[in-house]
Amino acid sequence: MIKLYQFPPVFGRNVSPFTLKLETWLRLAELPYEVVAIRNPGQGPKGKLPFIEDDDGTFVADSSLIIAHLSRTRGIDLDAGLDPLQRAQALALQRLFEDHLYFVGVWSRWVDPEAWQSFGPALFGTLPPPLRQLVAAFIRRKVRNDLHAQGLGRHSRDELYAMGRSDLEAIATLLGDRPFFAADRPTTIDAVAYGFLANTLLVPIENELKRIALGFPNLVAWTEAMDRRFA
Ligand SMILES: N[C@@H](CCC(=O)N[C@@H](CS)C(=O)NCC(=O)O)C(=O)O
């Protein structure tokens, strides 16, 4: 069976957008898998989670490369029937989630003191006291440095949340009142969208990004419906 390496749940949820995207895709594809919970992304072939170990012992890292690998080896195409325009729009939307909104989300959890109050203890609270503060501070500093290197970490809180609002507004406009993002059935972009929107809206971490997202009723209704169906 496919072994899926991902972080252990926090608040009873999969709090990594990329691994939730992959889990949702596996459920949509009806592929059985077994979760191996690990805390250190450094154990993976590319130093990030998720990665998988396939039945033949092959390791594949990166949610999109894993989806491509499983689609090819299992003969599954969740996007069959999408026309070139639908595929182009889905790819552009995926890049918006993964290469922009993701980093606003990371900042909103790891750097914004409002969310860190609850997110930090939820992540590191099980470690014994002296280690807890040290590990939390070390990893938080790494995340800050990564965000600075990526670029978005250089902006002010207000600038970042304004960017997050623009992203969510565009996503809400693209969804409109349709049941799914690209077709009348779930496709890969819905797994992507659910990974990111469930993490923004349904994880019990309070911050400005969540409050902004709560202002888009179609995104809230869509995410809750996906959650009932695929969580
Ligand atoms: N492009 C990768 C991104 C994966 C990713 O950024 N994973 C995060 C967790 S959501 C991670 O492992 N971060 C740890 C780190 O950067 O050290 C994918 O699609 O799988």
Short mmCIF file of all heavy atoms in Angstrom, two decimals, residues 86-151:
data_model
loop_
_atom_site.label_atom_id
_atom_site.label_comp_id
_atom_site.label_asym_id
_atom_site.label_seq_id
_atom_site.Cartn_x
_atom_site.Cartn_y
_atom_site.Cartn_z
N GLN A 86 -9.81 25.39 -19.30
CA GLN A 86 -10.03 24.95 -17.91
C GLN A 86 -8.71 24.51 -17.26
O GLN A 86 -8.45 24.80 -16.10
CB GLN A 86 -11.04 23.79 -17.87
CG GLN A 86 -12.46 24.23 -18.16
CD GLN A 86 -13.39 23.03 -18.36
OE1 GLN A 86 -13.03 22.05 -19.02
NE2 GLN A 86 -14.58 23.12 -17.80
N ARG A 87 -7.88 23.83 -18.03
CA ARG A 87 -6.58 23.38 -17.49
C ARG A 87 -5.68 24.59 -17.18
O ARG A 87 -5.01 24.63 -16.15
CB ARG A 87 -5.85 22.48 -18.50
CG ARG A 87 -6.44 21.10 -18.56
CD ARG A 87 -5.83 20.27 -19.68
NE ARG A 87 -6.65 19.10 -19.90
CZ ARG A 87 -6.55 17.98 -19.19
NH1 ARG A 87 -5.62 17.86 -18.27
NH2 ARG A 87 -7.37 16.97 -19.42
N ALA A 88 -5.69 25.58 -18.07
CA ALA A 88 -4.85 26.77 -17.86
C ALA A 88 -5.33 27.53 -16.63
O ALA A 88 -4.53 27.98 -15.80
CB ALA A 88 -4.88 27.65 -19.10
N GLN A 89 -6.66 27.67 -16.49
CA GLN A 89 -7.20 28.40 -15.33
C GLN A 89 -6.88 27.64 -14.03
O GLN A 89 -6.54 28.25 -13.01
CB GLN A 89 -8.71 28.60 -15.49
CG GLN A 89 -9.02 29.68 -16.51
CD GLN A 89 -10.49 29.73 -16.90
OE1 GLN A 89 -11.24 28.75 -16.71
NE2 GLN A 89 -10.91 30.85 -17.47
N ALA A 90 -6.99 26.31 -14.09
CA ALA A 90 -6.71 25.51 -12.89
C ALA A 90 -5.24 25.66 -12.49
O ALA A 90 -4.92 25.80 -11.31
CB ALA A 90 -7.05 24.04 -13.14
N LEU A 91 -4.34 25.66 -13.49
CA LEU A 91 -2.91 25.80 -13.17
C LEU A 91 -2.62 27.18 -12.58
O LEU A 91 -1.89 27.31 -11.59
CB LEU A 91 -2.06 25.56 -14.42
CG LEU A 91 -0.55 25.62 -14.17
CD1 LEU A 91 -0.09 24.49 -13.26
CD2 LEU A 91 0.22 25.58 -15.48
N ALA A 92 -3.22 28.22 -13.17
CA ALA A 92 -3.00 29.58 -12.65
C ALA A 92 -3.50 29.68 -11.20
O ALA A 92 -2.85 30.28 -10.33
CB ALA A 92 -3.69 30.61 -13.55
N LEU A 93 -4.65 29.08 -10.95
CA LEU A 93 -5.22 29.11 -9.59
C LEU A 93 -4.35 28.31 -8.62
O LEU A 93 -4.12 28.74 -7.47
CB LEU A 93 -6.65 28.54 -9.65
CG LEU A 93 -7.46 28.55 -8.37
CD1 LEU A 93 -7.52 29.94 -7.74
CD2 LEU A 93 -8.89 28.04 -8.67
N GLN A 94 -3.86 27.17 -9.08
CA GLN A 94 -2.97 26.37 -8.22
C GLN A 94 -1.73 27.17 -7.83
O GLN A 94 -1.30 27.17 -6.67
CB GLN A 94 -2.56 25.09 -8.97
CG GLN A 94 -1.63 24.21 -8.14
CD GLN A 94 -1.22 22.95 -8.87
OE1 GLN A 94 -1.85 22.53 -9.83
NE2 GLN A 94 -0.14 22.35 -8.44
N ARG A 95 -1.15 27.88 -8.80
CA ARG A 95 0.04 28.70 -8.50
C ARG A 95 -0.31 29.81 -7.50
O ARG A 95 0.51 30.18 -6.68
CB ARG A 95 0.61 29.31 -9.78
CG ARG A 95 1.05 28.30 -10.84
CD ARG A 95 2.20 27.41 -10.37
NE ARG A 95 2.79 26.68 -11.48
CZ ARG A 95 2.90 25.35 -11.54
NH1 ARG A 95 2.47 24.59 -10.53
NH2 ARG A 95 3.47 24.77 -12.58
N LEU A 96 -1.52 30.35 -7.60
CA LEU A 96 -1.95 31.39 -6.66
C LEU A 96 -2.00 30.82 -5.24
O LEU A 96 -1.50 31.44 -4.28
CB LEU A 96 -3.33 31.94 -7.09
CG LEU A 96 -4.06 32.89 -6.17
CD1 LEU A 96 -3.24 34.12 -5.85
CD2 LEU A 96 -5.37 33.33 -6.81
N PHE A 97 -2.58 29.63 -5.10
CA PHE A 97 -2.64 29.00 -3.78
C PHE A 97 -1.24 28.66 -3.28
O PHE A 97 -0.89 28.96 -2.14
CB PHE A 97 -3.44 27.69 -3.85
CG PHE A 97 -4.93 27.85 -3.74
CD1 PHE A 97 -5.77 27.51 -4.79
CD2 PHE A 97 -5.52 28.32 -2.56
CE1 PHE A 97 -7.15 27.65 -4.69
CE2 PHE A 97 -6.89 28.45 -2.44
CZ PHE A 97 -7.72 28.11 -3.51
N GLU A 98 -0.46 27.99 -4.13
CA GLU A 98 0.78 27.35 -3.65
C GLU A 98 1.96 28.31 -3.59
O GLU A 98 2.86 28.12 -2.78
CB GLU A 98 1.12 26.14 -4.53
CG GLU A 98 0.03 25.09 -4.49
CD GLU A 98 0.40 23.79 -5.17
OE1 GLU A 98 1.51 23.67 -5.71
OE2 GLU A 98 -0.46 22.87 -5.15
N ASP A 99 1.98 29.29 -4.48
CA ASP A 99 3.17 30.14 -4.56
C ASP A 99 2.91 31.55 -4.04
O ASP A 99 3.81 32.40 -4.12
CB ASP A 99 3.70 30.18 -6.00
CG ASP A 99 4.15 28.80 -6.46
OD1 ASP A 99 4.74 28.09 -5.63
OD2 ASP A 99 3.88 28.42 -7.62
N HIS A 100 1.71 31.81 -3.54
CA HIS A 100 1.47 33.13 -2.95
C HIS A 100 0.68 33.03 -1.66
O HIS A 100 1.19 33.31 -0.58
CB HIS A 100 0.78 34.07 -3.96
CG HIS A 100 0.91 35.50 -3.55
ND1 HIS A 100 -0.02 36.13 -2.75
CD2 HIS A 100 1.87 36.42 -3.80
CE1 HIS A 100 0.37 37.36 -2.52
NE2 HIS A 100 1.50 37.57 -3.15
N LEU A 101 -0.59 32.58 -1.76
CA LEU A 101 -1.41 32.53 -0.54
C LEU A 101 -0.76 31.66 0.54
O LEU A 101 -0.87 31.94 1.74
CB LEU A 101 -2.82 32.02 -0.88
CG LEU A 101 -3.80 32.01 0.29
CD1 LEU A 101 -4.04 33.42 0.85
CD2 LEU A 101 -5.14 31.38 -0.12
N TYR A 102 -0.08 30.59 0.12
CA TYR A 102 0.58 29.70 1.09
C TYR A 102 1.49 30.50 2.03
O TYR A 102 1.46 30.32 3.24
CB TYR A 102 1.39 28.63 0.34
CG TYR A 102 2.28 27.82 1.25
CD1 TYR A 102 1.72 26.96 2.21
CD2 TYR A 102 3.67 27.91 1.20
CE1 TYR A 102 2.53 26.22 3.07
CE2 TYR A 102 4.48 27.18 2.05
CZ TYR A 102 3.90 26.33 2.98
OH TYR A 102 4.69 25.61 3.84
N PHE A 103 2.29 31.42 1.44
CA PHE A 103 3.27 32.13 2.26
C PHE A 103 2.61 33.16 3.18
O PHE A 103 3.08 33.40 4.28
CB PHE A 103 4.34 32.77 1.36
CG PHE A 103 5.15 31.72 0.64
CD1 PHE A 103 4.90 31.42 -0.69
CD2 PHE A 103 6.12 31.00 1.32
CE1 PHE A 103 5.62 30.43 -1.34
CE2 PHE A 103 6.84 29.99 0.68
CZ PHE A 103 6.60 29.72 -0.66
N VAL A 104 1.50 33.74 2.73
CA VAL A 104 0.73 34.62 3.62
C VAL A 104 0.20 33.78 4.79
O VAL A 104 0.24 34.19 5.95
CB VAL A 104 -0.44 35.31 2.87
CG1 VAL A 104 -1.23 36.21 3.82
CG2 VAL A 104 0.07 36.10 1.67
N GLY A 105 -0.25 32.56 4.47
CA GLY A 105 -0.77 31.66 5.51
C GLY A 105 0.32 31.26 6.50
O GLY A 105 0.08 31.22 7.71
N VAL A 106 1.50 30.96 5.99
CA VAL A 106 2.61 30.59 6.89
C VAL A 106 2.92 31.76 7.82
O VAL A 106 3.06 31.60 9.04
CB VAL A 106 3.87 30.18 6.07
CG1 VAL A 106 5.07 29.99 6.99
CG2 VAL A 106 3.59 28.89 5.29
N TRP A 107 2.99 32.98 7.25
CA TRP A 107 3.27 34.16 8.09
C TRP A 107 2.18 34.32 9.14
O TRP A 107 2.45 34.60 10.31
CB TRP A 107 3.35 35.42 7.20
CG TRP A 107 3.89 36.61 7.93
CD1 TRP A 107 5.17 37.03 7.99
CD2 TRP A 107 3.13 37.55 8.73
NE1 TRP A 107 5.29 38.15 8.78
CE2 TRP A 107 4.05 38.49 9.25
CE3 TRP A 107 1.78 37.67 9.07
CZ2 TRP A 107 3.66 39.54 10.08
CZ3 TRP A 107 1.40 38.71 9.91
CH2 TRP A 107 2.32 39.63 10.40
N SER A 108 0.93 34.11 8.72
CA SER A 108 -0.19 34.35 9.64
C SER A 108 -0.20 33.37 10.81
O SER A 108 -0.75 33.66 11.86
CB SER A 108 -1.53 34.28 8.88
OG SER A 108 -1.86 32.94 8.61
N ARG A 109 0.42 32.20 10.64
CA ARG A 109 0.47 31.23 11.73
C ARG A 109 1.74 31.33 12.57
O ARG A 109 1.71 31.18 13.78
CB ARG A 109 0.47 29.80 11.15
CG ARG A 109 -0.84 29.34 10.67
CD ARG A 109 -0.68 27.94 10.10
NE ARG A 109 -1.97 27.41 9.75
CZ ARG A 109 -2.16 26.19 9.29
NH1 ARG A 109 -1.13 25.40 9.11
NH2 ARG A 109 -3.37 25.78 9.01
N TRP A 110 2.85 31.53 11.87
CA TRP A 110 4.16 31.40 12.54
C TRP A 110 4.72 32.72 13.04
O TRP A 110 5.50 32.74 14.00
CB TRP A 110 5.18 30.76 11.60
CG TRP A 110 4.97 29.31 11.40
CD1 TRP A 110 4.11 28.71 10.52
CD2 TRP A 110 5.64 28.24 12.09
NE1 TRP A 110 4.21 27.35 10.62
CE2 TRP A 110 5.13 27.04 11.57
CE3 TRP A 110 6.62 28.20 13.09
CZ2 TRP A 110 5.57 25.80 12.03
CZ3 TRP A 110 7.05 26.96 13.54
CH2 TRP A 110 6.53 25.78 13.01
N VAL A 111 4.39 33.82 12.35
CA VAL A 111 5.01 35.10 12.71
C VAL A 111 4.01 35.99 13.46
O VAL A 111 4.34 36.59 14.47
CB VAL A 111 5.56 35.82 11.46
CG1 VAL A 111 6.26 37.12 11.86
CG2 VAL A 111 6.53 34.91 10.70
N ASP A 112 2.79 36.07 12.98
CA ASP A 112 1.77 36.90 13.63
C ASP A 112 1.58 36.42 15.07
O ASP A 112 1.20 35.27 15.30
CB ASP A 112 0.45 36.75 12.84
CG ASP A 112 -0.60 37.75 13.31
OD1 ASP A 112 -0.50 38.22 14.46
OD2 ASP A 112 -1.52 38.04 12.53
N PRO A 113 1.86 37.29 16.06
CA PRO A 113 1.78 36.86 17.46
C PRO A 113 0.38 36.36 17.84
O PRO A 113 0.25 35.51 18.71
CB PRO A 113 2.14 38.11 18.26
CG PRO A 113 2.68 39.09 17.29
CD PRO A 113 2.26 38.69 15.91
N GLU A 114 -0.65 36.88 17.19
CA GLU A 114 -2.02 36.46 17.55
C GLU A 114 -2.19 34.94 17.38
O GLU A 114 -2.68 34.26 18.27
CB GLU A 114 -3.04 37.20 16.69
CG GLU A 114 -4.47 36.85 17.07
CD GLU A 114 -5.52 37.44 16.14
OE1 GLU A 114 -5.17 38.13 15.17
OE2 GLU A 114 -6.72 37.17 16.40
N ALA A 115 -1.77 34.42 16.22
CA ALA A 115 -1.97 32.99 15.97
C ALA A 115 -0.91 32.15 16.69
O ALA A 115 -1.19 31.04 17.14
CB ALA A 115 -1.89 32.72 14.47
N TRP A 116 0.30 32.70 16.81
CA TRP A 116 1.39 31.93 17.43
C TRP A 116 1.05 31.52 18.86
O TRP A 116 1.44 30.45 19.32
CB TRP A 116 2.69 32.73 17.35
CG TRP A 116 3.86 31.96 17.88
CD1 TRP A 116 4.57 32.23 19.01
CD2 TRP A 116 4.44 30.78 17.30
NE1 TRP A 116 5.55 31.29 19.19
CE2 TRP A 116 5.50 30.38 18.16
CE3 TRP A 116 4.16 30.02 16.17
CZ2 TRP A 116 6.27 29.25 17.90
CZ3 TRP A 116 4.93 28.89 15.92
CH2 TRP A 116 5.98 28.52 16.78
N GLN A 117 0.28 32.39 19.55
CA GLN A 117 -0.18 32.09 20.92
C GLN A 117 -0.80 30.70 21.04
O GLN A 117 -0.63 30.01 22.02
CB GLN A 117 -1.31 33.05 21.29
CG GLN A 117 -0.91 34.30 21.97
CD GLN A 117 -2.18 35.13 22.20
OE1 GLN A 117 -3.24 34.59 22.53
NE2 GLN A 117 -2.06 36.42 21.99
N SER A 118 -1.59 30.31 20.04
CA SER A 118 -2.23 28.99 20.12
C SER A 118 -1.52 27.96 19.24
O SER A 118 -1.45 26.78 19.58
CB SER A 118 -3.71 29.07 19.72
OG SER A 118 -3.83 29.60 18.42
N PHE A 119 -0.93 28.41 18.11
CA PHE A 119 -0.30 27.46 17.19
C PHE A 119 1.00 26.90 17.79
O PHE A 119 1.25 25.69 17.73
CB PHE A 119 -0.05 28.15 15.85
CG PHE A 119 0.33 27.21 14.74
CD1 PHE A 119 -0.45 26.09 14.45
CD2 PHE A 119 1.47 27.44 13.97
CE1 PHE A 119 -0.10 25.23 13.41
CE2 PHE A 119 1.82 26.59 12.94
CZ PHE A 119 1.03 25.48 12.65
N GLY A 120 1.81 27.78 18.38
CA GLY A 120 3.08 27.34 18.97
C GLY A 120 2.87 26.23 20.01
O GLY A 120 3.43 25.13 19.87
N PRO A 121 2.04 26.47 21.04
CA PRO A 121 1.82 25.42 22.04
C PRO A 121 1.21 24.15 21.44
O PRO A 121 1.53 23.04 21.86
CB PRO A 121 0.85 26.07 23.04
CG PRO A 121 1.06 27.54 22.87
CD PRO A 121 1.45 27.76 21.44
N ALA A 122 0.33 24.31 20.43
CA ALA A 122 -0.27 23.11 19.83
C ALA A 122 0.78 22.27 19.13
O ALA A 122 0.72 21.04 19.12
CB ALA A 122 -1.37 23.52 18.86
N LEU A 123 1.79 22.92 18.54
CA LEU A 123 2.84 22.18 17.82
C LEU A 123 3.88 21.59 18.76
O LEU A 123 4.32 20.46 18.57
CB LEU A 123 3.58 23.11 16.85
CG LEU A 123 2.92 23.50 15.55
CD1 LEU A 123 3.91 24.30 14.71
CD2 LEU A 123 2.47 22.28 14.78
N PHE A 124 4.27 22.38 19.76
CA PHE A 124 5.45 21.99 20.54
C PHE A 124 5.12 21.66 22.00
O PHE A 124 6.02 21.31 22.77
CB PHE A 124 6.51 23.11 20.49
CG PHE A 124 6.94 23.43 19.08
CD1 PHE A 124 6.52 24.59 18.45
CD2 PHE A 124 7.73 22.53 18.37
CE1 PHE A 124 6.90 24.87 17.14
CE2 PHE A 124 8.10 22.80 17.06
CZ PHE A 124 7.69 23.97 16.44
N GLY A 125 3.86 21.77 22.38
CA GLY A 125 3.45 21.63 23.78
C GLY A 125 3.74 20.28 24.40
O GLY A 125 3.82 20.16 25.62
N THR A 126 3.93 19.24 23.57
CA THR A 126 4.17 17.92 24.16
C THR A 126 5.64 17.70 24.50
O THR A 126 5.98 16.74 25.19
CB THR A 126 3.72 16.80 23.18
OG1 THR A 126 4.38 17.01 21.94
CG2 THR A 126 2.21 16.78 22.99
N LEU A 127 6.52 18.61 24.04
CA LEU A 127 7.96 18.47 24.38
C LEU A 127 8.17 18.90 25.83
O LEU A 127 7.46 19.78 26.33
CB LEU A 127 8.81 19.35 23.46
CG LEU A 127 8.83 18.99 21.97
CD1 LEU A 127 9.59 20.05 21.18
CD2 LEU A 127 9.47 17.63 21.76
N PRO A 128 9.16 18.33 26.52
CA PRO A 128 9.42 18.77 27.90
C PRO A 128 9.89 20.23 27.94
O PRO A 128 10.54 20.69 26.99
CB PRO A 128 10.53 17.81 28.37
CG PRO A 128 11.07 17.18 27.13
CD PRO A 128 10.02 17.25 26.07
N PRO A 129 9.59 20.96 29.03
CA PRO A 129 9.74 22.42 29.09
C PRO A 129 11.03 23.06 28.54
O PRO A 129 10.91 23.87 27.63
CB PRO A 129 9.53 22.75 30.57
CG PRO A 129 8.61 21.68 31.02
CD PRO A 129 8.94 20.44 30.22
N PRO A 130 12.26 22.68 28.93
CA PRO A 130 13.36 23.50 28.39
C PRO A 130 13.49 23.33 26.88
O PRO A 130 13.71 24.29 26.14
CB PRO A 130 14.61 22.98 29.10
CG PRO A 130 14.19 21.79 29.89
CD PRO A 130 12.72 21.60 29.77
N LEU A 131 13.27 22.09 26.41
CA LEU A 131 13.39 21.77 24.99
C LEU A 131 12.29 22.48 24.19
O LEU A 131 12.51 22.96 23.08
CB LEU A 131 13.24 20.25 24.85
CG LEU A 131 13.82 19.60 23.60
CD1 LEU A 131 15.32 19.86 23.53
CD2 LEU A 131 13.56 18.09 23.64
N ARG A 132 11.11 22.53 24.82
CA ARG A 132 9.93 23.10 24.14
C ARG A 132 10.22 24.51 23.60
O ARG A 132 10.07 24.79 22.42
CB ARG A 132 8.77 23.16 25.14
CG ARG A 132 7.47 23.61 24.57
CD ARG A 132 6.43 23.77 25.66
NE ARG A 132 6.26 22.56 26.45
CZ ARG A 132 5.55 22.50 27.59
NH1 ARG A 132 4.97 23.58 28.08
NH2 ARG A 132 5.44 21.37 28.24
N GLN A 133 10.72 25.39 24.50
CA GLN A 133 10.98 26.78 24.10
C GLN A 133 12.11 26.86 23.08
O GLN A 133 12.03 27.62 22.11
CB GLN A 133 11.35 27.65 25.32
CG GLN A 133 10.16 28.00 26.22
CD GLN A 133 9.87 26.90 27.24
OE1 GLN A 133 10.51 25.85 27.25
NE2 GLN A 133 8.88 27.13 28.11
N LEU A 134 13.14 26.02 23.30
CA LEU A 134 14.31 26.07 22.40
C LEU A 134 13.93 25.63 20.98
O LEU A 134 14.25 26.31 20.00
CB LEU A 134 15.41 25.13 22.93
CG LEU A 134 16.21 25.64 24.10
CD1 LEU A 134 17.17 24.57 24.61
CD2 LEU A 134 17.01 26.89 23.67
N VAL A 135 13.24 24.49 20.89
CA VAL A 135 12.88 23.96 19.56
C VAL A 135 11.90 24.92 18.88
O VAL A 135 12.04 25.23 17.69
CB VAL A 135 12.28 22.53 19.69
CG1 VAL A 135 11.77 22.04 18.35
CG2 VAL A 135 13.31 21.57 20.24
N ALA A 136 10.92 25.39 19.65
CA ALA A 136 9.92 26.31 19.07
C ALA A 136 10.60 27.56 18.53
O ALA A 136 10.35 27.99 17.40
CB ALA A 136 8.86 26.68 20.12
N ALA A 137 11.53 28.14 19.32
CA ALA A 137 12.20 29.37 18.89
C ALA A 137 13.08 29.10 17.68
O ALA A 137 13.13 29.90 16.73
CB ALA A 137 13.04 29.93 20.04
N PHE A 138 13.75 27.94 17.66
CA PHE A 138 14.66 27.60 16.55
C PHE A 138 13.86 27.45 15.24
O PHE A 138 14.22 28.03 14.21
CB PHE A 138 15.40 26.29 16.90
CG PHE A 138 16.28 25.80 15.79
CD1 PHE A 138 17.53 26.37 15.60
CD2 PHE A 138 15.86 24.78 14.95
CE1 PHE A 138 18.35 25.93 14.56
CE2 PHE A 138 16.68 24.33 13.91
CZ PHE A 138 17.92 24.90 13.73
N ILE A 139 12.77 26.71 15.32
CA ILE A 139 12.01 26.47 14.08
C ILE A 139 11.28 27.74 13.64
O ILE A 139 11.22 28.06 12.45
CB ILE A 139 11.03 25.28 14.25
CG1 ILE A 139 11.86 24.02 14.57
CG2 ILE A 139 10.21 25.06 12.99
CD1 ILE A 139 11.08 22.75 14.72
N ARG A 140 10.80 28.51 14.63
CA ARG A 140 10.12 29.77 14.26
C ARG A 140 11.10 30.71 13.55
O ARG A 140 10.75 31.37 12.57
CB ARG A 140 9.55 30.43 15.52
CG ARG A 140 8.58 31.53 15.21
CD ARG A 140 7.98 32.11 16.46
NE ARG A 140 6.94 33.07 16.16
CZ ARG A 140 6.62 34.08 16.94
NH1 ARG A 140 7.23 34.25 18.10
NH2 ARG A 140 5.66 34.91 16.59
N ARG A 141 12.36 30.75 14.03
CA ARG A 141 13.36 31.60 13.38
C ARG A 141 13.64 31.12 11.96
O ARG A 141 13.76 31.90 11.02
CB ARG A 141 14.65 31.62 14.22
CG ARG A 141 15.65 32.66 13.71
CD ARG A 141 16.74 33.00 14.70
NE ARG A 141 17.47 31.83 15.15
CZ ARG A 141 17.43 31.35 16.40
NH1 ARG A 141 16.72 31.96 17.33
NH2 ARG A 141 18.12 30.28 16.72
N LYS A 142 13.69 29.79 11.78
CA LYS A 142 13.92 29.24 10.43
C LYS A 142 12.78 29.65 9.49
O LYS A 142 12.99 30.05 8.34
CB LYS A 142 14.03 27.70 10.50
CG LYS A 142 14.17 27.08 9.12
CD LYS A 142 14.03 25.56 9.15
CE LYS A 142 14.09 24.92 7.77
NZ LYS A 142 13.22 25.45 6.75
N VAL A 143 11.53 29.57 10.01
CA VAL A 143 10.38 29.93 9.17
C VAL A 143 10.45 31.41 8.79
O VAL A 143 10.24 31.78 7.63
CB VAL A 143 9.05 29.59 9.89
CG1 VAL A 143 7.86 30.14 9.12
CG2 VAL A 143 8.91 28.08 10.08
N ARG A 144 10.78 32.27 9.76
CA ARG A 144 10.95 33.71 9.47
C ARG A 144 12.00 33.94 8.39
O ARG A 144 11.79 34.72 7.46
CB ARG A 144 11.45 34.44 10.73
CG ARG A 144 10.40 35.03 11.60
CD ARG A 144 11.16 35.76 12.72
NE ARG A 144 10.40 35.82 13.92
CZ ARG A 144 9.54 36.78 14.23
NH1 ARG A 144 9.33 37.76 13.39
NH2 ARG A 144 8.87 36.76 15.35
N ASN A 145 13.14 33.23 8.53
CA ASN A 145 14.23 33.40 7.55
C ASN A 145 13.80 32.91 6.17
O ASN A 145 14.10 33.52 5.15
CB ASN A 145 15.48 32.63 8.00
CG ASN A 145 16.12 33.28 9.22
OD1 ASN A 145 15.85 34.44 9.52
ND2 ASN A 145 16.95 32.54 9.93
N ASP A 146 13.08 31.78 6.16
CA ASP A 146 12.58 31.25 4.87
C ASP A 146 11.64 32.26 4.21
O ASP A 146 11.70 32.48 3.00
CB ASP A 146 11.82 29.93 5.08
CG ASP A 146 12.76 28.77 5.42
OD1 ASP A 146 13.99 28.95 5.36
OD2 ASP A 146 12.25 27.68 5.77
N LEU A 147 10.77 32.88 5.02
CA LEU A 147 9.81 33.85 4.47
C LEU A 147 10.54 35.10 3.97
O LEU A 147 10.14 35.69 2.96
CB LEU A 147 8.77 34.24 5.53
CG LEU A 147 7.71 33.18 5.85
CD1 LEU A 147 6.90 33.58 7.07
CD2 LEU A 147 6.79 32.96 4.66
N HIS A 148 11.61 35.47 4.66
CA HIS A 148 12.39 36.63 4.22
C HIS A 148 13.06 36.31 2.88
O HIS A 148 13.03 37.11 1.94
CB HIS A 148 13.43 36.97 5.28
CG HIS A 148 14.14 38.26 5.02
ND1 HIS A 148 13.59 39.49 5.30
CD2 HIS A 148 15.35 38.50 4.47
CE1 HIS A 148 14.43 40.44 4.95
NE2 HIS A 148 15.50 39.87 4.43
N ALA A 149 13.63 35.09 2.79
CA ALA A 149 14.30 34.69 1.55
C ALA A 149 13.29 34.59 0.41
O ALA A 149 13.57 35.00 -0.73
CB ALA A 149 15.00 33.35 1.75
N GLN A 150 12.10 34.09 0.70
CA GLN A 150 11.08 33.97 -0.35
C GLN A 150 10.63 35.36 -0.80
O GLN A 150 10.32 35.57 -1.96
CB GLN A 150 9.89 33.15 0.21
CG GLN A 150 8.84 32.78 -0.82
CD GLN A 150 7.77 33.86 -0.98
OE1 GLN A 150 7.60 34.71 -0.09
NE2 GLN A 150 7.09 33.84 -2.11
N GLY A 151 10.59 36.31 0.14
CA GLY A 151 10.27 37.69 -0.23
C GLY A 151 9.07 38.26 0.51
O GLY A 151 9.09 39.41 0.93
#
